[in-house]
Amino acid sequence: MNDRYDPGYGGDQYELVGYDEYGQPVYRQIPAQQTPQQAYDPYAQQGYGYDPYATGQQQPAQPYDSYDTGRQPQAPPYDPAYDPYGTGTPAGGTAAYDPYGQPAAGAQQPRAAGQTAHIPQQPGPAEVPDDPQAGRERDYHTEQFAFVEEPDGDSGDVIDWLKFTENRTERREEARRRARSRVIALVVVLALVAAGGVGYLWYAGKLPGLSSSDAKSGPSTAVADQKRDVIVVHLHNTAKGGTSTALLVDNTTTQQGTTVLLPNSLTLTDDAGSVTTLAKSVDDDGSSGTRDQLDTVLGTNIEGTWRLDTPYLQNLVELVGNIDIDTDTDVPDPGKKKGTAPLVREGKSQTLSGKAAVAYATYRASGEAQNAQLERFGQVLQGVLRKMSSDAQAATVTVQTLGQIIEPPLSDKNLGAFLAKLADLAKGGDHKTALLPVQTDGTLSAETSASVVKDILGGTAKSPDQGSAVRVSVQNATGVKDNTEKARVVLLNGGFSFLEGGTASAAQGASKVLYSDAAHKDDATEVAKTLGLPDGAVSKGTVGSNADVSVVLGQDYTPSSS
């Protein structure tokens, strides 16, 4: 066997010196006598023993001993004609490989992302180096090796975690977007609700500075042109006597309900043209006569009369389930002795039964004006309306359950429907109570009655023209009830206006005829003669607020036989 090997690169030869542990021949380089021809090595810059840029400088391959035996063999440049493994390495040089298929030290193999860089093992003859430091232990570094990129079991988890994090971030952003959308939608809904509420309040006339009539009827609807339903209710005290009168008004144009309280001193004109009072008219002329007289004085159109005796009021309060009102005084129990607990206590939101409601509505303390009792009656009516059903059919059943006879033209069905409307207004806060103001003589003035007669009733005050008729107030102190009526007939026939003065608590022996103004002294003397009283009964004194002459009939009064 030829122990010399000529690779054909310009005369350098190698001498066989032995074999390695794999049976591969190991050569030693024998220097040539002349300068060898430089070979083109495109991978010399990467430690493969050649110059890829043809600089003429040969880059020797790094010797490597895979088992660190102290020997550092050096592989010769790869001969393209000698390729025992068929790797197809390009001509011009090769890289030395270790037994495990790793490139020589200093070699850097480019790797494509996601691919495994693997170079098959190409063991070659180990070159015996001429390095004087041969035998020294080689110091290896990690950058001399090209590592195989193997799939990592955790890489999939990392990718999954990244995807999960990305998806969770997207979900959070989507949740934020939805939350913002919901907030915007909520704000829009609240704005619409607020606008609708303000519009309703404006329409209902509940905004500050706007009255219900201005908001609902509008400026084009005049007060006189508004549609109103009106009935008159008379409370008859069957136990103690006396009456209390109120008008129930339903303004269907402004959707406002009102209870107008009418003082008993209100002057009216009866069918005979005589001046009388409301209290007297209710007792003498009945429902139809009084209704016509009120229409004349107030300029209204009353549709019907509801006579409500105190027993029916008591039943009505119990049918609606008691009432709650703010009482202004203690009311004693009429069935108990003085000093016992009152039937009605003064205070806010007092719950009254039927009996207590009647006692409060008819109560008038000693020395109180009749208007004080009248206002208590108005409170009871307000409380009943708030508890009455707003359903017309149910309210009609309540009226029918009372068992009272409703005077025509009003019927129980009409009354039930009317009360249901007022009940609905009262529950919504659109019902109020107003006292009709009258002057001391029982007449109405344009100034004092405009707020009630014109605005609420839509009428015009037309108090009876007193003319030359002298107004005479008569109080019965004879102890005989019929004497009042007999005196009234005599005075009316004499051309005087009769005013009811009530009945004295105790009988008096002598009659009195009083005048307060000297201008009415002669009128007082004429009244005495008309009644058959002596001239000595005439004197100057205190006269009723709405009368010219006051008469107190004593036991010396003898009614005229005519």
Side-chain angles (χ1 to χ4, degrees), residues 50 57 72 91 115 205 221 267 276 294 320 323 403 430 463 504 514 562:
Y50 55 85
Q57 297 179 0
Q72 297 181 0
Q115 297 180 354
T221 305
T267 57
T276 184
L294 288 173
V320 299
I323 60 175
D430 295 321
S463 291
L514 305 176
S562 59

Side-chain angles (χ1 to χ4, degrees), residues 19-102:
Y19 297 90
D20 59 10
E21 62 272 20
Y22 296 101
Q24 298 294 332
V26 178
Y27 297 89
R28 181 177 63 84
Q29 184 178 6
I30 301 176
Q33 297 297 324
Q34 60 181 2
T35 301
Q37 183 180 0
Q38 294 182 354
Y40 171 72
D41 187 359
Y43 300 98
Q45 294 294 335
Q46 301 183 13
Y48 290 92
Y50 55 85
D51 185 0
Y53 297 100
T55 58
Q57 297 179 0
Q58 181 73 20
Q59 300 294 332
Q62 297 293 335
Y64 173 69
D65 186 353
S66 60
Y67 288 94
D68 195 13
T69 58
R71 298 174 56 193
Q72 297 181 0
Q74 182 176 5
Y78 187 78
D79 187 355
Y82 180 76
D83 185 7
Y85 298 101
T87 59
T89 303
T94 184
Y97 292 89
D98 65 5
Y100 296 98
Q102 298 295 338

Side-chain angles (χ1 to χ4, degrees), residues 269-287:
T269 303
D270 61 13
D271 296 338
S274 300
V275 177
T276 184
T277 62
L278 175 60
K280 188 65 176 176
S281 177
V282 174
D283 291 338
D284 296 342
D285 300 329
S287 59

